[in-house]
Amino acid sequence: MAVTGAQIIARTLRDLGVTVIFGIVGIPVVEIAEEAINLGIRFIAFRNEQACSYAASVYGFMTGQPGVCLVVGGPGVLHALAGARNATTNNFPLLILAGSAETTGVTKGSFQELDAISLLTPHTKFAVRPSSLDFIPGAIKNAFRTCWYGRPGSTFVDLPADIIQGKASPGFQLPEPENIYVASPPKSSGDPALILKAAQLLRSARAPLLILGKGAAYARAEQVIGQLVERTQIPFLPTPMGKGIIPDAHPLNVSSARSAALKNADVVLVLGARLNWILHFGEPPKWSPTAKIIQVDIAAEEIGRNAGNAELGIVGDINLVVEQLLVTLSNWRYSTTSQFPKLLAESAKKNEAKAQKAALMPTPRSPDAFLTYQRAYHIIKTTLNSLSPSSSSEEGNIVYVSEGANTMDISRSIFPLSQPRHRLDAGTYATMGVGMGYIIAAHEAYNTPVGTIANGKPKKIVALEGDSAFGFSAMEIETMARYRIPALIFVMNNSGIYHGDTKTEDAWKVLQEQTVANDTKSSGSSAASGNEKRGLRSTSLLYETRYEMLATMCGGKGYFVRSEEELERATREGFQNDVPTVVNVIIEPGVGKTIQFAWQGKDNKEGQAKL
């Protein structure tokens, strides 16, 4: 029997070591998915291409190998573009495969016709369309290698229907199976002269600081970075997805004194992070204008960006560069009695006391009282930790997923981690809607036999979702139920985007009054007054939407929570449930509060003390 294009594609993916594919099938890619399943590849079928492309991208981050996404052409590619851009911006290795119109039908208005190569090229590292069945293995192999090598990102392979459904010539033979089709990316050490220069700068620093980004987590550099911190005693600051490279509980972690650390550091070693918006571009007023920044990156074009200094940057693999620094900094240790550690300790003490006060403030027993973010998170955290020592985040048995402005920002400092790649959030692209896909990807990576990093120790996936962010991909709850993924999902429901509004019925009443007033005004009357200024706000969502019912309708469990007692019970039961669980937590709407990320706000006087 003649070999089909779908069989060649599936076989190529298996030979590349692919064990799971995230996607949505339809004509003509369903044949690829079925052939992949026949070869033992696990196929996870989603409800929307955005969610499956997000899942595939973060799977690449967690496993260190490319995630694979399979979608239909046309609108399927348009939706998957979100994941392609998310992967490229976050530097996650992602291979997207998509069907397309028959080559003979191009420009004729074929079914779901789209020039996908032109669309995807600006947003990927590589986009290709194989011209025949013979070129399929080479095209996929090159796309797989390119998304993985150098700075990771996304690549795209366009597969016309006639290629997928076509049959090879009678003499065509599939190659013998190969276990490793593409070797792991090569690694390079840093320039010895620059290593020496960086070591000299750190030795002479009054206020040195390490910044640990998600690139260091992706590189699996936690062991060597831990040695660097222990030997040198340099304070470190993790970015949100760099948390856990060194346990958050480490005494040299200065996350609680973030502003003070950035403002006063004079020599900063940046490992696996970029000087982008998350780090305020390395510029004043958040940073000292005289700070010397040593960037370590695998991409030369990143060195010297924004406030970086090209003469100080080191191009190389983080593991190898840090090993070189350890040798060069041998027997040197930063003095913890200097003024900088004292300043950081004072700032951290003040900020932690403020956070602790908010967390311990009980919710008033009143029908009109609301839980706050801080109080709700405190209850969730203490309940999870009380179940058993092995359930705590400190033990590394919980993977946290978080998205939504305040939901994500506040949770970042409340839920500590001891392991890297155990916190997944909106990332560099600040993408809303990634949460449900990230949950599924984390389950596939950690809790299934085909998971690249499965180690026999199951991890609970706990998601902290803003109500707006949850809405982007909430239907993937059905996907979780179908694949028996027992995630625990908290929807922090303030009935709005950033913040909510008053009760919806009150807002509608005002809106109706406004409409009547405007109608009267338009008819020539002066009866309309200040009502034009009110009504449903652009940030308003339906008041107290019953999101938990999405879980119950799929056979999962749902909890509607308005009190501390209800939240404690829902957390305890939800953690132990073996089905998807949604806890709908009603919190304060936050009417009238400033719309911003707390740590991205305007500069303040805190942490500006002179050394």
Side-chain angles (χ1 to χ4, degrees):
M1 183 180 295
V3 177
T4 67
Q7 289 174 321
I8 297 172
I9 294 163
R11 173 63 178 276
T12 302
L13 292 172
R14 187 193 67 176
D15 289 350
L16 286 167
V18 174
T19 58
V20 61
I21 297 173
F22 304 89
I24 296 182
V25 298
I27 298 173
V29 300
V30 62
E31 298 173 35
I32 300 173
E34 290 302 313
E35 292 294 346
I37 292 170
N38 291 341
L39 291 174
I41 297 175
R42 184 170 165 87
F43 186 84
I44 308 298
F46 281 70
R47 302 301 297 262
N48 182 279
E49 290 89 359
Q50 286 188 13
C52 71
S53 62
Y54 293 148
S57 66
V58 86
Y59 185 83
F61 167 72
M62 286 185 288
T63 64
Q65 298 179 10
V68 178
C69 177
L70 176 66
V71 298
V72 299
V77 173
L78 284 172
H79 293 166
L81 175 60
R85 187 67 245 180
N86 188 65
T88 295
T89 302
N90 281 291
N91 302 143
F92 298 157
L94 169 67
L95 169 60
I96 298 177
L97 307 174
S100 63
E102 296 86 348
T103 52
T104 56
V106 174
T107 75
K108 289 184 175 181
S110 297
F111 175 68
Q112 295 185 333
E113 183 181 341
L114 174 71
D115 183 1
I117 296 295
S118 296
L119 176 69
L120 272 294
T121 295
H123 305 286
T124 59
K125 294 180 66 180
F126 176 72
V128 64
R129 177 187 295 115
S131 57
S132 69
L133 273 68
D134 294 338
F135 286 95
I136 288 173
I140 295 177
K141 176 181 177 181
N142 283 332
F144 189 90
R145 179 183 59 82
T146 302
C147 77
W148 197 14
Y149 279 31
R151 167 166 284 175
S154 60
T155 55
F156 175 71
V157 180
D158 186 49
L159 299 164
D162 49 323
I163 297 290
I164 296 172
Q165 299 168 344
K167 294 183 178 180
S169 58
F172 181 87
Q173 294 289 327
L174 285 169
E176 290 298 317
E178 300 181 48
N179 293 326
I180 301 177
Y181 207 30
V182 174
S184 297
K187 299 179 180 181
S188 62
S189 299
D191 183 334
L194 293 174
I195 294 291
L196 179 60
K197 189 172 186 178
Q200 290 172 338
L201 282 172
L202 290 169
R203 286 175 181 271
S204 62
R206 293 180 299 109
L209 178 68
L210 301 180
I211 291 182
L212 310 179
K214 67 175 178 291
Y218 174 78
R220 282 160 169 70
E222 51 266 24
Q223 183 174 358
V224 68
I225 291 175
Q227 293 175 12
L228 179 66
V229 169
E230 292 301 329
R231 289 191 193 178
T232 65
Q233 293 294 293
I234 298 176
F236 68 91
L237 174 67
T239 64
M241 283 182 65
K243 286 168 63 69
I245 293 173
I246 300 174
D248 284 343
H250 195 286
L252 291 174
N253 180 7
V254 296
S255 294
S256 296
R258 185 182 194 274
S259 296
L262 293 178
K263 186 71 177 180
N264 293 284
D266 62 349
V267 176
V268 183
L269 178 61
V270 181
L271 300 174
R274 287 167 285 172
L275 297 177
N276 55 22
W277 67 277
I278 292 176
L279 289 175
H280 315 285
F281 313 107
E283 299 171 349
K286 290 289 187 179
W287 291 59
S288 167
T290 59
K292 293 181 173 60
I293 303 174
I294 306 165
Q295 298 166 276
V296 178
D297 204 284
I298 57 174
E301 64 269 21
E302 192 63 36
I303 304 299
R305 186 186 296 272
N306 297 325
N309 187 330
E311 296 181 354
L312 300 180
I314 301 171
V315 179
D317 174 76
I318 292 174
N319 279 287
L320 299 181
V321 169
V322 174
E323 285 178 356
Q324 290 175 285
L325 286 170
L326 279 169
V327 172
T328 311
L329 289 169
S330 172
N331 301 321
W332 175 79
R333 177 179 290 239
Y334 176 59
S335 174
T336 56
T337 61
S338 65
Q339 191 173 354
F340 186 50
K342 295 178 181 178
L343 171 66
L344 297 179
E346 291 172 1
S347 178
K349 183 178 179 180
K350 178 180 177 181
N351 292 334
E352 288 168 3
K354 182 178 179 181
Q356 185 76 348
K357 181 180 179 180
L360 297 179
M361 181 71 68
T363 307
R365 293 186 176 277
S366 164
D368 297 325
F370 288 97
L371 285 160
T372 64
Y373 282 105
Q374 292 85 353
R375 184 60 178 168
Y377 286 160
H378 175 74
I379 293 169
I380 293 169
K381 183 179 72 171
T382 53
T383 303
L384 291 178
N385 290 348
S386 72
L387 293 172
S388 71
S390 62
S391 71
S392 70
S393 55
E394 287 86 347
E395 294 294 325
N397 289 337
I398 295 179
V399 178
Y400 286 104
V401 176
S402 186
E403 61 173 335
N406 293 318
T407 299
M408 179 178 65
D409 185 35
I410 296 171
S411 72
R412 177 172 55 89
S413 60
I414 292 180
F415 294 90
L417 297 180
S418 64
Q419 301 291 326
R421 300 171 296 279
H422 279 53
R423 176 185 166 85
L424 311 174
D425 65 25
T428 307
Y429 213 38
T431 310
M432 295 298 105
V434 297
M436 300 300 101
Y438 281 12
I439 291 170
I440 296 167
H443 176 78
E444 291 303 309
Y446 288 109
N447 295 335
T448 66
V450 299
T452 307
I453 51 179
N455 58 7
K457 189 177 182 180
K459 297 179 184 293
K460 189 71 175 183
I461 316 300
V462 175
L464 303 162
E465 296 278 312
D467 51 346
S468 172
F470 179 69
F472 279 77
S473 54
M475 198 58 207
E476 301 304 336
I477 292 291
E478 187 274 336
T479 306
M480 295 179 210
R482 196 174 353 118
Y483 289 98
R484 301 181 181 276
I485 299 173
L488 173 56
I489 302 165
F490 295 92
V491 179
M492 309 307 293
N493 187 352
N494 65 357
S495 304
I497 302 170
Y498 296 108
H499 57 69
D501 210 325
T502 55
K503 288 187 177 182
T504 303
E505 56 265 32
D506 295 340
W508 271 109
K509 181 179 179 181
V510 174
L511 187 63
Q512 290 172 334
E513 293 173 354
Q514 171 187 323
T515 302
V516 172
N518 286 342
D519 288 345
T520 305
K521 184 176 181 180
S522 63
S523 65
S525 170
S526 60
S529 59
N531 284 332
E532 296 95 337
K533 298 180 181 179
R534 199 66 182 99
L536 286 175
R537 312 311 301 169
S538 62
T539 59
S540 298
L541 295 175
L542 187 64
Y543 189 73
E544 294 192 356
T545 302
R546 300 299 296 266
Y547 296 110
E548 78 282 358
M549 292 183 179
L550 285 170
T552 57
M553 78 177 188
C554 298
K557 298 288 183 67
Y559 299 84
F560 183 75
V561 166
R562 290 191 109 265
S563 70
E564 295 187 6
E565 294 77 14
E566 291 171 338
L567 179 57
E568 191 276 337
R569 180 177 68 85
T571 302
R572 186 173 299 277
E573 294 181 7
F575 188 86
Q576 297 169 337
N577 287 340
D578 59 359
V579 292
T581 300
V582 174
V583 181
N584 186 5
V585 187
I586 305 302
I587 60 173
E588 59 177 353
V591 178
K593 292 189 177 182
T594 302
I595 296 177
Q596 67 174 20
F597 290 103
W599 57 274
Q600 280 293 120
K602 294 182 180 180
D603 191 46
N604 54 48
K605 294 182 179 180
E606 184 177 348
Q608 295 185 20
K610 300 299 181 182
L611 297 181

